[in-house]
Amino acid sequence: MCGIVGYIGSKDSTSVLIDGLSKLEYRGYDSAGVAVMEGDRINMMKTKGRLADLVKKMKDEGAPKGHCGIGHTRWATHGEPSDVNSHPHGNANVCIVHNGIIENYLQLKNKLIEKGYQFESETDTETVAKLLDYYYHGDPFEAIQKVVTKVRGSYALGVIFRDFPERIYAVRKDSPLIVGVGEGENFIASDIPAILKYTRQYYLLEENEIALLTKEKVELFDLDGEPIEKELMVANWDIEAAEKGGYPHFMLKEIHEQPTAFSNTVSPRITDGLPDLSSAQLAPEMLKDVEKIHIVACGTAMHAGLVGKTTIEKLVRVPVDVDIASEFRYRNPILGKNDLVVIISQSGETADTLAALRLAKQAGNKTVAIVNVVGSSIAREADSVIYTWAGPEIAVASTKAYYVQISVMYLLALSMALAKGTLSEEEVRTYIKELQGIPALAESVLKNAENCQYYASQFQNAEDLFFIGRGMDYALSMEGSLKLKEISYIHSEAYAAGELKHGTISLITDNTPVIAVSTQRKLYEKMIGNIKEVKARGAKVLLVCHQNAPEAHDLAEYVIELPSVSDIFMPLLTIIPLQLFAYYTSVLRGCDVDKPRNLAKSVTVE
């Protein structure tokens, strides 16, 4: 959510800023802007809309020229998307870009108004810019120190001062920010893809560490001004990994990357045919003592948790609660001393999920993070971390991140089952062997993508659509429905099929589209009844089922048959056609697949 890029060096900073911001477009935004040191003044240019609108404005009015600058793509929180609410914010003396939310901005704003300051925007960010100006008396570091002690909330700030045209300052709390280190040039950015073209070396800023960048060096300080020595990290992504690789959209590329992502996540964690989570400090002794599990996540990651819940309860016989992070943190959850809290987040920066992690740690519970981004806030703060190693996921709608999250849930479930003795070693080996065969089966499903494209063409004009399923298929239906609604804008809902007669079936009329997900063999007969219920009321049904499912082609107008594996692993095959269906529906409707409206990749505010 929102993107920050800063550059100081010998290149044209505007070009570098625009290029870096373009690599962060996947985060979601509705306005863009830059501020560049141009001689002895700060030249700001910003606009509502996309980066393309900013570039056009620069062509029409002249682009800022200089070698030091900061840039931003904004996702509106305080104040509607507009030119004036766009970042950067500041005046002739100081200019900032900001990710996060300042919770006490109204109190600070009122005090500044009393001091004679006038405000143009509706943003909380302008308050920080004005506060910096108020405290600035020739020493940028001192001004920043004072500001961060006054503001309350989350922030990642990039700051330039007119009096110091060859410096960029940066500081963060709760919102992610990295400092890229190049040769004769240095950078700040919200995420690694923004700087990969220029350098792979970077520092991760910790809470309230202040970075001072010149073109020759990077210095890091704590709030007291004491120098900090820290590890220089190296990004293991290459530029091509963050590009489309010949696919028309990142989302389609990432769907097709799922078999490889699965192998990258699972294979290194299998030793001698058994799951091995020792690298995550999850010893069998610790897993054996767990009495209950709380899985906490948001959105797609929460849906991965639902698959994990069913798997763990089936194989381990330990109760599992799955909570939406924003609900968990405010409902005063009951946490037993031997409860394990599992936190799932692609970015590792999701604000509600991070707060839930901190709540669990405060309660004294053991925490395990399942994240993709190495060194992210959740990864650093959890007791144990299992990295999913999926590589960059650029499309806003998550696909391969979800895929590897449920893959990790299988490894965790099998490790616990082995530790607690609910499965024998031989049984676990059998499951692991089947799990290792998933990539080949997933590839075979992907080869039938054209079928999904055809089915999407039959449903593309729907305004309302329903998914139904039972057990794991209900969890998959929830994710399939979310994918469809977030990128195609079709109103879509998922229901437990057994609940249809308790109210929802009143919505089924002639030609109502229904996607019936039925891959769990023990529940298939029950699903036959549910499908007939909606068919009797005129529904047009697309059935997703296992191969040779009885009556399949008599039950539904359209059928997607999947290779057969154990019911417990069917989600790894089932989700692929649901993702493809959503993707092709979005394309056919002319939607912006990779950057759906109003959404952001990394939700770093509540």
Side-chain angles (χ1 to χ4, degrees):
M1 172 180 297
C2 304
I4 287 176
V5 178
Y7 172 78
I8 183 164
S10 301
K11 296 183 176 73
D12 172 56
S13 61
T14 299
S15 298
V16 176
L17 295 175
I18 294 296
D19 179 66
L21 291 173
S22 73
K23 302 301 189 295
L24 300 178
E25 285 190 287
Y26 67 90
R27 297 169 71 91
Y29 70 103
D30 44 47
S31 60
V34 300
V36 173
M37 295 301 311
E38 202 168 69
D40 60 353
R41 72 186 186 100
I42 301 174
N43 187 353
M44 268 194 294
M45 185 169 284
K46 53 187 182 175
T47 186
K48 174 185 173 181
R50 297 291 190 184
L51 273 176
D53 298 307
L54 179 62
V55 171
K56 183 179 184 301
K57 185 174 183 178
M58 290 177 177
K59 287 181 180 178
D60 294 342
E61 301 179 14
K65 299 292 184 182
H67 303 292
C68 174
I70 50 178
H72 193 266
T73 49
R74 175 181 186 255
W75 190 80
T77 53
H78 295 68
E80 65 181 8
S82 68
D83 288 4
V84 71
N85 286 333
S86 304
H87 295 214
H89 286 281
N91 56 23
N93 297 319
V94 61
C95 189
I96 71 169
V97 288
H98 165 229
N99 286 355
I101 286 181
I102 306 303
E103 295 172 357
N104 62 334
Y105 85 100
L106 279 177
Q107 176 187 353
L108 295 170
K109 182 176 182 177
N110 290 333
K111 287 185 178 180
L112 288 165
I113 290 172
E114 291 176 3
K115 300 290 184 182
Y117 282 89
Q118 295 182 341
F119 285 76
E120 300 175 355
S121 77
E122 303 168 82
T123 67
D124 53 339
T125 300
E126 189 180 5
T127 302
V128 181
K130 295 273 194 294
L131 197 63
L132 270 169
D133 181 75
Y134 175 72
Y135 283 122
Y136 176 63
H137 302 292
D139 186 340
F141 195 93
E142 182 181 39
I144 293 170
Q145 282 177 306
K146 289 182 178 178
V147 165
V148 298
T149 61
K150 298 295 183 182
V151 298
R152 188 173 67 250
S154 61
Y155 50 81
L157 298 172
V159 190
I160 55 175
F161 293 83
R162 182 187 64 177
D163 296 340
F164 296 88
E166 296 182 356
R167 294 184 188 179
I168 296 176
Y169 289 87
V171 62
R172 69 166 287 263
K173 177 180 176 291
D174 290 338
S175 291
L177 199 65
I178 64 172
V179 178
V181 180
E183 294 185 8
E185 57 185 6
N186 292 300
F187 311 79
I188 60 171
S190 304
D191 206 350
I192 292 170
I195 64 170
L196 272 181
K197 180 177 177 180
Y198 307 97
T199 182
R200 294 188 184 188
Q201 297 187 101
Y202 65 99
Y203 292 112
L204 279 168
L205 279 188
E206 302 286 350
E207 302 282 289
N208 285 326
E209 291 180 347
I210 299 175
L212 166 58
L213 288 71
T214 65
K215 69 185 226 178
E216 298 299 338
K217 63 180 179 179
V218 171
E219 296 178 273
L220 304 172
F221 304 92
D222 63 20
L223 270 186
D224 295 325
E226 294 296 323
I228 297 171
E229 296 290 334
K230 65 191 314 174
E231 179 186 2
L232 185 63
M233 304 187 75
V234 178
N236 57 7
W237 301 351
D238 54 29
I239 296 173
E240 290 74 20
E243 299 296 338
K244 293 178 184 175
Y247 288 92
H249 298 94
F250 282 114
M251 182 177 178
L252 186 60
K253 173 178 180 277
E254 287 156 9
I255 291 171
H256 280 266
E257 287 175 339
Q258 288 177 142
T260 299
F262 175 92
S263 296
N264 291 341
T265 297
V266 172
S267 295
R269 296 182 169 109
I270 295 174
T271 303
D272 295 328
L274 295 172
D276 182 1
L277 296 180
S278 59
S279 62
Q281 294 82 49
L282 292 176
E285 295 76 18
M286 187 277 287
L287 295 175
K288 183 179 180 180
D289 292 337
V290 172
E291 296 177 357
K292 184 176 181 179
I293 295 175
H294 304 263
I295 299 175
V296 186
C298 298
T300 287
M302 187 272 290
H303 294 160
L306 291 172
V307 175
K309 169 185 169 69
T310 302
T311 303
I312 293 170
E313 289 185 340
K314 176 181 175 63
L315 300 183
V316 189
R317 307 308 297 160
V318 167
V320 180
D321 285 345
V322 179
D323 272 280
I324 299 169
S326 56
E327 294 294 318
F328 178 85
R329 62 182 293 198
Y330 291 118
R331 71 171 176 83
N332 193 20
I334 299 172
L335 298 171
K337 66 176 182 178
N338 290 325
D339 290 2
L340 176 67
V341 179
V342 179
I343 302 291
I344 310 177
S345 169
Q346 187 279 139
S347 68
E349 302 291 350
T350 311
D352 285 315
T353 312
L354 179 58
L357 167 66
R358 291 170 176 169
L359 179 68
K361 287 180 66 67
Q362 188 176 14
N365 287 94
K366 176 76 174 178
T367 57
V368 177
I370 300 173
V371 299
N372 190 41
V373 179
V374 176
S376 55
S377 296
I378 289 172
R380 296 198 306 274
E381 295 188 28
D383 297 315
S384 304
V385 58
I386 305 174
Y387 286 115
T388 52
W389 296 328
E393 187 177 69
I394 306 301
V396 168
S398 179
T399 53
K400 68 174 178 176
Y402 170 84
Y403 203 81
V404 291
Q405 286 163 359
I406 60 175
S407 303
V408 169
M409 298 309 299
Y410 288 124
L411 291 174
L412 181 60
L414 291 168
S415 296
M416 290 192 69
L418 195 59
K420 285 182 170 288
T422 54
L423 290 178
S424 67
E425 183 176 306
E426 182 180 353
E427 288 173 316
V428 173
R429 287 185 187 278
T430 299
Y431 275 122
I432 287 293
K433 185 176 181 180
E434 191 170 14
L435 202 58
Q436 289 173 310
I438 289 294
L441 295 176
E443 291 285 4
S444 72
V445 176
L446 286 165
K447 288 178 181 177
N448 293 317
E450 287 185 1
N451 290 338
C452 296
Q453 186 173 13
Y454 170 72
Y455 299 141
S457 73
Q458 302 304 298
F459 288 82
Q460 71 180 85
N461 294 319
E463 293 304 320
D464 301 281
L465 189 148
F466 299 96
F467 285 75
I468 59 173
R470 289 174 177 263
M472 280 188 167
D473 289 329
Y474 174 44
L476 270 291
S477 294
M478 294 173 71
E479 176 59 13
S481 176
L482 176 61
K483 282 288 126 347
L484 184 67
K485 72 180 73 172
E486 67 184 341
I487 64 171
S488 76
Y489 315 142
I490 292 175
H491 170 247
S492 172
E493 300 298 336
Y495 291 95
E499 283 290 291
L500 281 170
K501 61 179 66 68
H502 295 284
T504 309
I505 203 165
S506 66
L507 300 173
I508 305 298
T509 56
D510 284 347
N511 293 315
T512 299
V514 174
I515 297 180
V517 185
S518 184
T519 67
Q520 303 296 297
R521 292 167 183 80
K522 289 184 178 180
L523 297 171
Y524 185 72
E525 287 187 2
K526 297 291 184 184
M527 279 296 296
I528 289 176
N530 298 133
I531 294 168
K532 288 184 175 180
E533 285 173 347
V534 296
K535 287 289 294 179
R537 288 154 180 84
K540 185 167 68 172
V541 177
L542 167 61
L543 171 61
V544 183
C545 59
H546 55 83
Q547 278 179 340
N548 303 317
E551 300 183 52
H553 292 273
D554 296 327
L555 281 170
E557 284 83 355
Y558 312 106
V559 179
I560 296 175
E561 293 183 281
L562 299 170
S564 293
V565 294
S566 295
D567 282 5
I568 204 164
F569 294 140
M570 281 303 297
L572 290 166
L573 304 181
T574 309
I575 191 56
I576 295 173
L578 301 185
Q579 294 167 341
L580 289 168
F581 178 84
Y583 168 77
Y584 285 118
T585 303
S586 178
V587 171
L588 290 167
R589 287 169 67 92
C591 301
D592 191 343
V593 175
D594 288 334
K595 300 185 287 293
R597 68 191 182 202
N598 301 332
L599 297 180
K601 184 65 177 175
S602 178
V603 184
T604 56
V605 297
E606 288 190 55

